[in-house]
Amino acid sequence: MKTISELRAAFLALTYTPTQAVEDSLKIIAKKNGELNAFLDVYDDAKEAAAVATSLYAKGGDLPPLLGIPVAIKHNIMNKGKRVTAASKILENYTATYDATIIRRLRDAGAIFVGATNMDEFAMGSSTENSAFGVTKNPLDITRVPGGSSGGSAAAVAMGAVPVAIGTDTGGSIRQPASYCGLVGYKPTYGAVSRYGLIAMGSSLDQAGPMTNTVADAELVHNVMAGLDSFDATTIAPDTYPVLSEKTTYTFGVPRDFMKKGVDPDVLQTFEKHIELLRAQGHIVVDIDLPLFEKGLAAYYIVMPAEVSSNLARYDGIRYGYSAEGENLLEVYQKSRAQGFGAEVKRRILLGTHVLSSGYYDAYYGKAELVRRKMRSELKDVFKTIDIILTPTAPTPAFKIGEQKDLLSMYSQDVFTVPVNLTGVPAITFPMGTVNREGIDLPVGVQYIAPLGGDARLFSIGKKIYDERL
Amino acid sequence: MKREDVAHLATLARIELSEAELTRLEEELSSIVSYVSAITDIAGDEADTAPQLGARFNVFRADEVTNQADEYTEDLLAELPQREGRYMKVKKILGGE
């Protein structure tokens, strides 16, 4: 069973139990994970939680919405008593001392955590090739990457082990792997979901969200995780942004100029077909101008490394994590960080140190924040005339492991997704079709972007356009 | 960006770099910095570059102790790379001479 709603119905009908679901989930992991490397840890105590859930279904009554549902979580989310590494050598033996708010909420809703998934180190990457614990392979074609940084979470769902995995998205890390693995991926409005207990990467950009097989499942899991949290002062209230009315038909805007360069022709063709589908269903699709969005990737590679260099200063080999021998305190810092961090993490810390350093701060960080501000007002204007922005999720289908050697071409994977994080708006991706590579049909995703607080609109239109056609 | 610039950044960031890493990073960081410079020509007055407040700001919670004494102490101490009882052991801060 691939969806939460199917599992829930079977649990309630007592034709299938959480114990069976978790056993089946663990069987699939045991069978496939050796090859795919989607999971870094599998939790044996899942069976005990499943037994409790099974007895609750047998008793009946008012049962929480995710009771008995097997869930996988990314390796950068605090889960008390469990190893949480961010796929970095520097946290290889770190055990979480508290629960993230989203973990607490999922557990309260009855979810059962069956394991934690591989990722690019500290969520920095678009392929999971930056994991300190080996690449994850795409279950649809094992010569290809699953995308990243939440590549292990995407593979966990795509391999059939779980109906939902939790990822985090700083510049596209939920949406791009969802696109590569044929899934629904959701990046909420900034502040909709608490960041308490996520290993921080870019604090003004990070959000956690679900990766699922249907939009309805993504909505259900998002709603469980979302809401004000006294442990995260950036979480928003239901009335922080104006409530958007639901419509029967929407006006979609396509930033054509933005898609002229670097998008695979087959992806573009699939995208055009999606536009035809929307028109056939009575929606209006128009071209829009978002000139500043083209600067998004450049602004992102200033803001994100700046926040990375600050957030990762805490890994110093003193209080927790990997610690190297040194003659004095400074050497302990320098050697622990040299030996504990991988190449991409070092690169971004140094880049962030550069853009924040005296004499460069205004030229880089100040300008990047200015671009963000201008992008937000550009968006506000565009959303006066349209309801939803439409782009491909990623410019290509899943690429081959080891294929992307050039840094900037790897970074350009996120060209359509980073403007969403920079401006804080919500976005959903789901499959819009496939493109054929070497005889294999590889899925490609479409991205819908709504105004701030427009989460419900994305779920509502997503269910109509995707779920109803499954 | 020159090699000595990268070495200086590494000192600021407290990361020891090998000669090979310095060589590679000199090239890589230069190419990224030249790419991100695409935004430095965007016009705006100084007030525009001030950091922005989020949707909610000045959010406070009561300054109250929310945990029991010693509730987390042992878990946190267990993470220390080097400890002695309830103390964290660190290397000397000043050099030998």
Side-chain angles (χ1 to χ4, degrees):
Chain A
M1 271 175 266
K2 289 178 78 178
T3 69
I4 296 173
S5 42
E6 286 169 326
L7 281 172
R8 174 80 171 179
F11 291 164
L12 287 169
L14 304 178
T15 54
Y16 191 59
T17 67
T19 298
Q20 289 171 307
V22 165
E23 273 171 10
D24 287 343
S25 172
L26 295 175
K27 264 186 227 161
I28 293 170
I29 297 170
K31 189 172 156 211
K32 296 184 179 172
N33 199 52
E35 179 170 66
L36 298 175
N37 196 31
F39 287 83
L40 294 180
D41 289 308
V42 181
Y43 301 149
D44 286 334
D45 56 6
K47 287 182 188 168
E48 294 155 35
V52 174
T54 299
S55 66
L56 287 172
Y57 276 106
K59 269 188 222 150
D62 192 12
L63 301 167
L66 297 177
L67 183 64
I69 304 294
V71 176
I73 52 174
K74 193 174 175 178
H75 231 263
N76 61 349
I77 305 171
M78 290 298 137
N79 188 357
K80 188 172 181 174
K82 297 286 194 283
R83 194 173 76 112
V84 179
T85 66
S88 178
K89 208 183 153 202
I90 211 160
L91 288 175
E92 186 168 5
N93 299 307
Y94 178 76
T95 302
T97 54
Y98 65 101
D99 279 331
T101 295
I102 56 171
I103 290 293
R104 222 182 48 237
R105 289 187 180 170
L106 287 167
R107 192 182 287 124
D108 288 349
I112 296 175
F113 303 114
V114 295
T117 57
N118 198 14
M119 55 187 280
D120 286 294
E121 183 179 2
F122 283 103
M124 299 179 201
S126 306
S127 66
T128 73
E129 288 167 299
N130 294 335
S131 167
F133 310 119
V135 67
T136 295
K137 292 174 180 168
N138 190 320
L140 308 174
D141 176 352
I142 57 163
T143 67
R144 293 177 187 275
V145 302
S149 66
S150 310
S153 290
V157 179
M159 76 200 256
V162 283
V164 54
I166 308 302
T168 60
D169 191 314
T170 306
S173 280
I174 287 173
R175 290 161 285 158
Q176 183 254 21
S179 175
Y180 280 16
C181 291
L183 306 175
V184 176
Y186 191 66
K187 200 296 278 183
T189 298
Y190 182 79
V193 176
S194 170
R195 290 177 295 107
Y196 179 73
L198 307 188
I199 294 183
M201 176 185 169
S203 303
S204 75
L205 307 159
D206 298 342
Q207 278 289 285
M211 305 169 84
T212 58
N213 285 303
T214 65
V215 176
D217 281 0
E219 179 181 30
L220 171 65
V221 174
H222 167 76
N223 287 339
V224 165
M225 296 196 293
L228 273 175
D229 178 16
S230 60
F231 292 137
D232 177 357
T234 62
T235 50
I236 55 173
D239 62 352
T240 300
Y241 298 111
V243 176
L244 301 176
S245 57
E246 283 206 25
K247 302 179 183 177
T248 45
T249 59
Y250 288 101
T251 304
F252 290 79
V254 179
R256 286 276 167 205
D257 288 345
F258 191 30
M259 293 163 26
K260 273 183 186 152
K261 274 188 301 187
V263 185
D264 181 281
D266 294 343
V267 171
L268 267 188
Q269 205 181 8
T270 317
F271 183 70
E272 296 302 337
K273 277 193 202 143
H274 190 78
I275 292 177
E276 284 167 30
L277 170 93
L278 287 172
R279 288 195 169 125
Q281 301 216 347
H283 300 287
I284 297 162
V285 185
V286 298
D287 288 355
I288 52 169
D289 277 329
L290 286 171
L292 278 172
F293 267 52
E294 291 177 53
K295 305 274 189 189
L297 203 58
Y300 178 74
Y301 271 90
I302 292 170
V303 172
M304 176 274 295
E307 296 185 10
V308 160
S309 78
S310 308
N311 272 326
L312 272 64
R314 72 190 70 174
Y315 304 103
D316 56 5
I318 304 298
R319 289 161 301 152
Y320 49 83
Y322 178 81
S323 185
E325 275 298 312
E327 285 296 306
N328 53 44
L329 195 61
L330 182 63
E331 261 191 45
V332 173
Y333 294 157
Q334 290 175 324
K335 288 184 191 296
S336 298
R337 290 163 69 78
Q339 294 163 25
F341 289 140
E344 181 65 20
V345 174
K346 288 179 191 172
R347 206 177 283 131
R348 294 196 194 186
I349 290 174
L350 293 173
L351 186 61
T353 308
H354 176 66
V355 300
L356 289 177
S357 58
S358 169
Y360 295 99
Y361 180 96
D362 290 340
Y364 290 110
Y365 191 73
K367 284 285 185 180
E369 281 297 318
L370 171 68
V371 170
R372 275 180 102 169
R373 173 177 291 206
K374 290 187 169 227
M375 284 172 79
R376 287 191 192 106
S377 63
E378 186 176 273
L379 263 189
K380 212 172 179 181
D381 288 343
V382 159
F383 278 127
K384 283 178 189 156
T385 56
I386 60 150
D387 303 309
I388 294 166
I389 297 169
L390 192 67
T391 73
T393 305
T396 66
F399 50 87
K400 293 261 186 182
I401 292 168
E403 182 185 328
Q404 294 274 7
K405 299 230 183 329
D406 178 60
L407 279 180
L408 291 174
S409 82
M410 180 74 101
Y411 292 172
S412 72
Q413 277 296 317
D414 293 333
V415 65
F416 297 126
T417 47
V418 294
V420 169
N421 301 75
L422 285 170
T423 53
V425 291
I428 195 166
T429 177
F430 51 80
M432 62 176 171
T434 57
V435 302
N436 195 282
R437 291 290 182 275
E438 298 169 341
I440 298 176
D441 286 327
L442 297 172
V444 285
V446 64
Q447 175 175 244
Y448 288 12
I449 305 170
L452 288 165
D455 301 69
R457 170 178 288 177
L458 291 177
F459 291 128
S460 144
I461 184 75
K463 284 187 284 191
K464 278 187 196 131
I465 299 294
Y466 187 64
D467 288 5
E468 284 180 16
R469 293 172 34 249
L470 279 177
Chain B
M1 188 172 295
K2 297 192 203 100
R3 193 181 181 87
E4 55 263 36
D5 298 327
V6 179
H8 177 60
L9 291 175
T11 307
L12 291 174
R14 303 285 188 262
I15 300 175
E16 188 179 82
L17 293 179
S18 67
E19 290 301 314
E21 281 179 309
L22 275 174
T23 307
R24 210 184 57 232
L25 282 161
E26 181 186 348
E27 190 191 324
E28 290 171 347
L29 292 183
S30 295
S31 93
I32 301 170
V33 167
S34 102
Y35 175 74
V36 302
S37 297
I39 64 155
T40 50
D41 58 353
I42 297 218
D45 59 51
E46 206 150 296
D48 285 340
T49 63
Q52 269 190 281
L53 295 170
R56 292 171 79 231
F57 50 94
N58 290 350
V59 177
F60 295 103
R61 65 184 163 93
D63 186 16
E64 288 165 352
V65 177
T66 54
N67 57 295
Q68 306 295 312
D70 284 339
E71 188 181 344
Y72 295 102
T73 310
E74 186 47 43
D75 288 345
L76 291 169
L77 288 170
E79 298 290 343
L80 294 178
Q82 288 192 297
R83 70 181 279 194
E84 208 170 282
R86 285 169 65 101
Y87 292 94
M88 154 203 295
K89 276 176 80 174
V90 293
K91 292 284 177 184
K92 62 186 174 190
I93 293 169
L94 299 172
E97 309 80 279

